[in-house]
Amino acid sequence: MTTTATATPIATAPAFARRLAERLPHRSGAAWAAEPYSAWWTTRPAARLTQAGRRGALIVVEHSWSTEFAWQLDGREPYTPDLSVESISSVGVARETLRFVLPRLDDATAATSTERHDETSRRRLVHLDLIGSALRAHGAATDTPVGVQPNSSVLRWSAGGMRYAVTLVGANPTCDVSVTGPAKAVERTLTHFLAQSWRSPRLPLRDIRTRLGRRLAAHLRQFTTVDQLDDDGLTFGESSGPFGYIAPPADPAARVRDTTPVAAELYGVGIDHLVHLAPLLAR
């Protein structure tokens, strides 16, 4: 007589996925939940991360030195990973999930949406209110005017000598963020949106023509690439996360201090990332 062995289903999600879910911000009080999952492309333990009220799910697989992500949407079952993060630290993976994994999931979800124009307008305001509620919980006073661009809405607030504006346009679920304030504070704020430091700050700055540009580039090149444009403004950032532009100084030859005014724009910022950063941006 022969017997056939059967695999015992995994009862709980891998520990790394549960730790990641705990580090992601709630939406309207709804936490992320992790459940065990069998990914098509690997035999390694995987997890499915979901959040009540949110379309789509994240499939997560941990490897020895990296973490793979894929998104599961209505009518879309992932057969290969969509993104890979070169980290297995729960803190590092959570940071990168907020910076560029969740915005990509939101983009993919929006691409399959059949919402009408009025529904899209309502959703923009709902998303901005998620950010605004998080900011107001930490003492910031916000307002939400109609945007200058067609089909856009804006969330504005001031804190710690800084002025912020978050804009959503059309059905795009990622935000444009305007940051204006003294140089030292803007440098500190932009750092929150960039990858963890990976370069030496002692890089040549001969390609940067203005004093303010050289100061800002010396700081930002610890985290990402920086280039100067013909108008003496700076571009920074890469495809794996938010990218941006810093306006040229009014006087390129002027002495630069910590209090020198700087205006910067960030593009491709996730809603969840801004909710997560609310305690820092509200003070």
Side-chain angles (χ1 to χ4, degrees), residues 179-249:
V179 179
T180 307
K184 187 174 183 178
V186 171
E187 288 173 341
R188 182 174 60 248
T189 299
L190 294 181
T191 298
H192 298 315
F193 295 92
L194 303 176
Q196 292 178 321
S197 180
W198 60 281
R199 299 185 182 202
S200 167
R202 300 181 180 276
L203 292 171
L205 299 171
R206 291 185 295 272
D207 57 324
I208 307 298
R209 294 181 293 274
T210 67
R211 288 182 173 182
L212 180 60
R214 285 192 290 272
R215 168 176 172 152
L216 296 171
H219 175 73
L220 293 173
R221 279 182 173 172
Q222 298 176 73
F223 308 93
T224 188
T225 57
V226 180
D227 293 296
Q228 188 158 51
L229 301 178
D230 291 342
D231 68 353
D232 286 339
L234 299 180
T235 61
F236 62 93
E238 298 169 336
S239 58
S240 58
F243 59 97
Y245 170 77
I246 299 174

Side-chain angles (χ1 to χ4, degrees), residues 32-258:
W32 285 85
E35 61 186 19
Y37 192 79
S38 296
W40 279 89
W41 66 88
T42 183
T43 57
R44 297 184 66 85
R48 183 175 182 265
L49 270 60
T50 58
Q51 188 176 39
R54 183 183 198 132
R55 293 176 55 209
L58 278 179
I59 309 303
V60 188
V61 181
E62 183 186 42
H63 290 268
S64 299
W65 302 106
S66 65
T67 305
E68 292 177 338
F69 291 88
W71 26 88
Q72 185 185 54
L73 306 172
D74 292 342
R76 183 190 194 265
E77 179 63 33
Y79 294 96
T80 58
D82 290 299
L83 290 172
S84 179
V85 171
E86 298 303 314
S87 176
I88 57 172
S89 156
S90 59
V91 174
V93 173
R95 179 185 176 92
E96 296 306 282
T97 300
L98 290 166
R99 280 191 350 101
F100 76 98
V101 176
L102 289 181
R104 299 283 184 88
L105 172 63
D106 286 344
D107 280 341
T109 302
T112 64
S113 175
T114 57
E115 286 183 334
R116 302 188 309 271
H117 173 74
D118 58 332
E119 293 173 330
T120 299
S121 299
R122 183 190 62 80
R123 184 170 292 277
R124 279 202 308 270
L125 294 174
V126 168
H127 286 163
L128 289 179
D129 190 57
L130 287 171
I131 303 166
S133 295
L135 290 164
R136 292 189 291 272
H138 293 279
T142 68
D143 68 321
T144 314
V146 175
V148 175
Q149 302 178 64
N151 301 322
S152 67
S153 302
V154 182
L155 173 72
R156 300 184 305 193
W157 75 99
S158 298
M162 300 278 289
R163 297 194 309 275
Y164 302 91
V166 175
T167 303
L168 282 172
V169 181
N172 188 347
T174 56
C175 306
D176 299 339
V177 182
S178 171
V179 179
T180 307
K184 187 174 183 178
V186 171
E187 288 173 341
R188 182 174 60 248
T189 299
L190 294 181
T191 298
H192 298 315
F193 295 92
L194 303 176
Q196 292 178 321
S197 180
W198 60 281
R199 299 185 182 202
S200 167
R202 300 181 180 276
L203 292 171
L205 299 171
R206 291 185 295 272
D207 57 324
I208 307 298
R209 294 181 293 274
T210 67
R211 288 182 173 182
L212 180 60
R214 285 192 290 272
R215 168 176 172 152
L216 296 171
H219 175 73
L220 293 173
R221 279 182 173 172
Q222 298 176 73
F223 308 93
T224 188
T225 57
V226 180
D227 293 296
Q228 188 158 51
L229 301 178
D230 291 342
D231 68 353
D232 286 339
L234 299 180
T235 61
F236 62 93
E238 298 169 336
S239 58
S240 58
F243 59 97
Y245 170 77
I246 299 174
D251 183 355
R255 185 183 298 276
V256 178
R257 298 180 172 83
D258 288 350

